[in-house]
Structures are given as structure tokens and as C-alpha cells.
Amino acid sequence: MYGPLDSLTVATAQLRPPAHRVARGAIALWTVQNLMGLALVTAMVAGIAWLVDAAAPSWLPRLVVEHPWWGPLLVALLGLPEVLLAPTWRYLVHRWEVTQEVVYIRTGWFDREWRLVPISRIQTVDTTRGVLERFLGLATLQIRTASHAGSSEIEGLPAEVAAGLAHDLARQAGVLRDDAT
């Protein structure tokens, strides 16, 4: 059991930003990913607009029937801030750090998530590199524990850093393994 916390303990237990940022290339990765998502949604809405323009059902509002191409235009305009602003915002927030005992990760952009993954609980460490990540020299480090809630990933790392971290964490997890896993 834990005893009562005094004010000094509470003051020193505050979370701090992890030491390292992801690679600057993550901005390009997230921009292209967001742009591809926006293009897909805009294309789907354009397909619906084409169907409405060809043979509008009678139950549709008159504004939609008379101006079906406003839909894709509106979707594209509303999605532009996601493409242009969100990647830089995410870059400013996403951070990581590995200490002797934990992997410390902060992610998010509106909602911030702070994750501490004890190295002794790590079961597998993987790196993944999608097509865009390979093109930009980036990788994603995936850290898995027995609990899904304890698993985490660091997206947007330089490929060589991710590979080195994967090797070091796998080695540390093997050395620090305890009976609780």
C-alpha cells in the first residue's frame, strides 16, 4: 500500500516533457498522410455529387440538387487545416525518451497522451517502415507488452534511431525481465 503523499512528493512527481522530438521529416509524413485521407474523402463526396447530378432523388433538399459540387469543395476546404496545420502541431507535441527503467512517450495534438512503458514489461519491440516512411528515411518503433493498454509506438523516428532503439530495448527487456511477465 502507498502512504499519504506530502506536498513535496506531489511537486516532484509531475510529468515533464520527454527529452527527444521525432524527426522533422515526420511533418512531411503526416502532411502526405492527411492529404491522401482528404483526397479520398473528397473523391467519395465527388462520386456522390456525380450521382446526384446525374439523377437526383426527389427526397434530397433543393440546394443539394441544384449545387451538388459544393459538397466536395466544402469537404476539401474544411480539410485543409488538417493537412496544413496538424502535422506541425503534432511535431511540436510528440516526444520520446528512454531511461534505464521506462520508455516515456508523449503524443496527441488536442488530447495529450503521456505513456510510460516499463522496460521490464516489454515483450516485443518491432520497427515498421511503410512506403512513405521508407521514402522519407523514417520508421515507427512498436513496443508491445502483455497488456494492450501498455503497448505503444513512436512514429516518425529516423530509421537508424528506431533500429538502434529496438535492439537496445529488446536487450534491456531481456536483462531486466522479472517474474511478473
Side-chain angles (χ1 to χ4, degrees):
M1 260 310 144
Y2 298 104
L5 297 174
D6 59 25
S7 61
L8 180 60
T9 305
V10 171
T12 59
Q14 294 178 0
L15 290 175
R16 62 174 173 69
H20 308 288
R21 287 185 191 236
V22 297
R24 263 192 96 62
I27 296 172
L29 174 69
W30 294 326
T31 300
V32 171
Q33 287 174 337
N34 291 350
L35 187 60
M36 288 170 45
L38 179 60
L40 180 64
V41 171
T42 303
M44 290 170 43
V45 174
I48 293 170
W50 178 76
L51 290 173
V52 167
D53 200 23
S58 60
W59 51 268
L60 282 176
R62 197 175 105 217
L63 181 67
V64 172
V65 173
E66 291 176 1
H67 307 285
W69 295 102
W70 286 8
L73 181 63
L74 186 62
V75 166
L77 289 175
L78 291 176
L80 232 58
E82 171 90 15
V83 171
L84 299 176
L85 301 176
T88 301
W89 192 340
R90 282 180 68 186
Y91 172 77
L92 295 174
V93 173
H94 286 213
R95 291 178 169 269
W96 64 275
E97 183 176 350
V98 177
T99 68
Q100 293 296 330
E101 290 128 11
V102 299
V103 178
Y104 190 27
I105 303 165
R106 184 180 72 183
T107 60
W109 42 298
F110 281 118
D111 295 332
R112 303 279 166 89
E113 181 178 313
W114 301 74
R115 184 156 298 195
L116 294 143
V117 181
I119 292 177
S120 63
R121 302 288 186 219
I122 294 174
Q123 290 191 333
T124 62
V125 182
D126 300 308
T127 58
T128 60
R129 297 185 72 201
V131 173
L132 289 174
E133 287 175 312
R134 284 194 311 267
F135 181 73
L136 295 168
L138 302 175
T140 298
L141 181 73
Q142 297 176 329
I143 303 165
R144 303 286 179 239
T145 63
S147 165
H148 175 69
S151 299
S152 195
E153 66 180 28
I154 307 171
E155 185 181 11
L157 292 174
E160 60 279 353
V161 171
L165 279 173
H167 178 267
D168 292 346
L169 286 172
R171 186 184 46 76
Q172 277 184 281
V175 170
L176 297 176
R177 183 85 48 217
D178 62 11
D179 292 332
T181 56

